[in-house]
Amino acid sequence: MTSEQTDRITEHPVPGRGPYAIAAGPDDALWFTLEASGEIGRLVPGERPATFSLTADSGPTIIAPGPDGALWFTEYRAHAIGRISVDGAVTEHALRECGPFGIAAGPDGALWFTGTTTDSIGRITTGGTVTEFALPVEEAFPSAIVAGPDEAMWFTMNRANAIGRIDLRGEVTVHELPTPDAAPVGITLGPDGALWFVEIAAGQIGRITVDGEIDEHPLADRGARPHAITAGPDGALWFSEWGANRIGTITTAGTLGEPVALSTPNAEPHGLTFGPDGALWVALEHGALARLSVRK
């Protein structure tokens, strides 16, 4: 790591165990899941973090802002969807055993989530009403999900090696990836109106248009195991390299930037988001949040 890179990164230890995903809330705070200790954390940059307890062994995974001013999250091991208000009040909605993982607000005012073990996409209203839609693929392991620009939700199918689209009526379209066994995980809406995703097993960044056209961009280190991806204020896409202990970037033209190495070895970077301070914040499973300053 260069001294310039070191100056750009600061780590902020947090209580609890296993920071996994992170999202910017409507309250100028960062909200994150503590997967191993069954908690939700909150950090205002420059202040001390706070944590809120959930059901024991719940395994909170992905967290996202909801349409109601609260944060919504999946509980992978408890098979539930959780809601936490900005003042820390928690509500949990039980599901059938489906291993919920990804969650995102939809254009219809509801939250949409993935059922990893049931090959399904779920929809939950802010009042707690759940609807499920079966996928036309078995053992797909749907993972991350995001709202697209086309009144639909887009999601990765990790084991089916495909990107899926589900419209608000529940109709599903499957787009197979060109690279075999690429195992897509994270997905986000890019500033170019396309969906960008990471292929953890292939070491590639993918792009799919709403018409289904796919491009794949190999990383220099094919063993980097990219995990999560988000769009930045600089017009680029930023992603975590879980296996290489780095943060990478790619432009919408497909040009890869110089990866930034994390300060702590084996930090296990997972989810990432841009905070209220304009910096990139990354959940490090070893027990901290990393802040990376971004040059626009």
Side-chain angles (χ1 to χ4, degrees):
M1 180 191 304
T2 67
S3 59
E4 181 183 11
Q5 288 181 338
T6 304
D7 292 342
R8 294 177 62 190
I9 298 176
T10 54
E11 287 192 19
H12 303 262
V14 294
R17 301 190 313 280
Y20 189 82
I22 186 168
D27 55 346
D28 289 335
L30 295 156
W31 292 79
F32 53 97
T33 56
L34 293 157
E35 191 275 337
S37 57
E39 298 170 289
I40 300 297
R42 177 182 184 271
L43 174 68
V44 175
E47 299 182 9
R48 294 175 61 87
T51 58
F52 306 90
S53 297
L54 307 174
T55 301
D57 198 34
S58 55
T61 43
I62 305 301
I63 187 167
D68 56 350
L71 287 299
W72 290 72
F73 54 92
T74 51
E75 298 182 38
Y76 184 80
R77 290 196 295 275
H79 307 290
I81 300 296
R83 176 190 186 274
I84 185 166
S85 66
V86 293
D87 59 2
V90 174
T91 306
E92 294 168 293
H93 301 277
L95 307 170
R96 69 176 176 130
E97 291 192 5
C98 64
F101 181 80
I103 190 168
D108 56 348
L111 287 301
W112 292 71
F113 62 92
T114 57
T116 60
T117 62
T118 52
D119 296 321
S120 64
I121 300 298
R123 176 185 184 272
I124 184 169
T125 67
T126 54
T129 300
V130 176
T131 308
E132 285 191 57
F133 303 95
L135 298 178
V137 181
E138 294 183 355
E139 298 185 8
F141 206 84
S143 302
I145 188 167
V146 71
D150 56 347
E151 294 290 304
M153 305 299 291
W154 290 74
F155 55 96
T156 53
M157 289 188 276
N158 179 261
R159 292 181 187 159
N161 202 53
I163 303 299
R165 176 190 185 271
I166 184 167
D167 67 20
L168 301 183
R169 299 184 303 274
E171 295 183 8
V172 177
T173 305
V174 176
H175 301 278
E176 296 183 5
L177 297 181
T179 301
D181 303 318
V185 185
I187 189 168
T188 194
L189 176 61
D192 56 351
L195 289 304
W196 289 76
F197 55 94
V198 293
E199 299 177 358
I200 193 170
Q204 297 185 140
I205 306 301
R207 176 186 184 270
I208 183 169
T209 67
V210 293
D211 296 325
E213 181 181 343
I214 297 173
D215 293 305
E216 294 172 308
H217 304 279
L219 302 180
D221 178 3
R222 299 296 286 272
R225 298 189 68 78
H227 183 271
I229 188 167
T230 193
D234 57 348
L237 289 304
W238 292 75
F239 54 92
S240 53
E241 296 186 8
W242 176 71
N245 206 52
R246 295 186 302 238
I247 304 302
T249 183
I250 186 170
T251 69
T252 54
T255 302
L256 290 161
E258 184 70 25
V260 179
L262 295 170
S263 307
T264 301
N266 302 314
E268 296 188 88
H270 286 292
L272 69 177
T273 194
F274 281 85
D277 55 354
L280 180 71
W281 288 80
V282 188
L284 308 180
E285 197 169 1
H286 82 92
L289 302 182
R291 181 187 186 276
L292 171 62
S293 62
V294 174
R295 299 179 181 87
K296 297 183 183 180

